[in-house]
Amino acid sequence: MSLKWLKWSQQLQAIAQIGLTYSQSPYDSERYQQIRQIAAEIMATYAHEAPTYVCDLFSKEEGYATPKVDVRGAVFHNNQILLVKEREDGCWTLPGGWVDVGESPSQAVVREVYEESGYHTQIVKLLAIYDRNHPRHQHPPIRHHVYKLFFQCQLIGGSPAESTETTEAAFFTAHDIPELSLTRVVPSQISRLFEHYRNPEWQADFD
């Protein structure tokens, strides 16, 4: 199924959000509100949601529209990678999540790994910056445009623990990866991270 509708609605929402941020004309503001409504109707139609629900979500976005930032920690140990099991869907993912305001990406990923797995880590290097919306990654569609930052992390302590978002934390080989939470990470990304681990001289991927 083509996801052009998602790209169109996100772009229209961004135009409307930026216009409403900077417009000083009430007439222009009214037009930008109309564009936001059209964007909400497009997304609601194909996502099978109520237009009022989507429009309410859009209206909470303020300022200049930019992609959100998601960080993920690739923690390798004995040729295995750390995954955590999500409470939300019962599937597995790399520990990580949104970067909070006021923290750097590296701080965010160290925090997320500890909160979701119980392990203490330190950053080794940036492995990849991926555009979640790019078709080659094959993530299920969401309303946000997201950049995903993958960091290699070194295990320095701690023990496996559950959290408010996760129920398990465990290490897996490249050939024993469990069912993944595809909204968060996809198999091709896990495979690529293992390749980076085996080739430490590689530079970071992008897009």
Side-chain angles (χ1 to χ4, degrees):
M1 177 182 177
S2 172
L3 294 181
K4 286 185 177 179
W5 61 269
L6 180 62
K7 183 177 180 179
W8 291 336
S9 59
Q10 289 174 335
Q11 289 177 333
L12 286 172
Q13 154 59 14
I15 291 170
Q17 182 178 325
I18 294 168
L20 289 168
T21 298
Y22 294 106
S23 175
Q24 298 181 359
S25 166
Y27 302 105
D28 286 342
S29 294
E30 183 178 351
R31 294 186 183 94
Y32 288 124
Q33 290 283 6
Q34 291 173 345
I35 293 174
R36 171 173 278 173
Q37 181 64 39
I38 292 170
E41 290 179 2
I42 292 173
M43 184 169 290
T45 298
Y46 289 93
H48 308 292
E49 295 283 358
T52 52
Y53 170 75
V54 179
C55 199
D56 181 60
L57 292 177
F58 283 170
S59 66
K60 294 176 182 178
E61 300 288 342
E62 299 179 344
Y64 193 91
T66 63
K68 290 183 175 291
V69 179
D70 172 64
V71 292
R72 296 286 155 178
V75 185
F76 291 100
H77 184 63
N78 293 332
N79 295 314
Q80 296 179 312
I81 195 168
L82 174 65
L83 299 177
V84 294
K85 191 173 186 179
E86 289 284 342
R87 290 185 184 276
E88 183 178 75
D89 59 13
C91 297
W92 294 79
T93 184
L94 297 170
W98 300 124
V99 176
D100 288 340
V101 173
E103 67 179 351
S104 69
S106 61
Q107 290 173 328
V109 75
V110 167
R111 171 182 57 78
E112 287 282 355
V113 170
Y114 174 70
E115 290 178 354
E116 294 190 351
S117 73
Y119 287 108
H120 295 286
T121 58
Q122 62 186 17
I123 298 297
V124 176
K125 62 184 292 189
L126 176 68
L127 299 181
I129 301 176
Y130 291 144
D131 179 352
R132 187 194 186 282
N133 292 40
H134 196 290
R136 73 184 177 94
H137 297 300
Q138 299 184 325
H139 285 285
I142 59 172
R143 67 185 179 91
H144 296 299
H145 188 177
V146 179
Y147 288 168
K148 298 179 69 66
L149 280 61
F150 293 83
F151 289 89
Q152 182 177 342
C153 302
Q154 179 181 353
L155 181 65
I156 59 175
S159 58
E162 64 179 58
S163 72
T164 57
E165 297 180 3
T166 59
T167 59
E168 297 180 52
F171 285 88
F172 298 87
T173 68
H175 304 292
D176 192 32
I177 300 300
E179 183 178 1
L180 296 175
S181 179
L182 299 180
T183 60
R184 298 170 175 86
V185 67
V186 295
S188 61
Q189 293 166 348
I190 296 291
S191 296
R192 184 64 175 173
L193 295 174
F194 268 102
E195 290 182 25
H196 269 283
Y197 177 61
R198 292 189 288 264
N199 297 275
E201 75 281 4
W202 282 7
Q203 296 186 1
D205 296 342
F206 54 89
D207 297 349

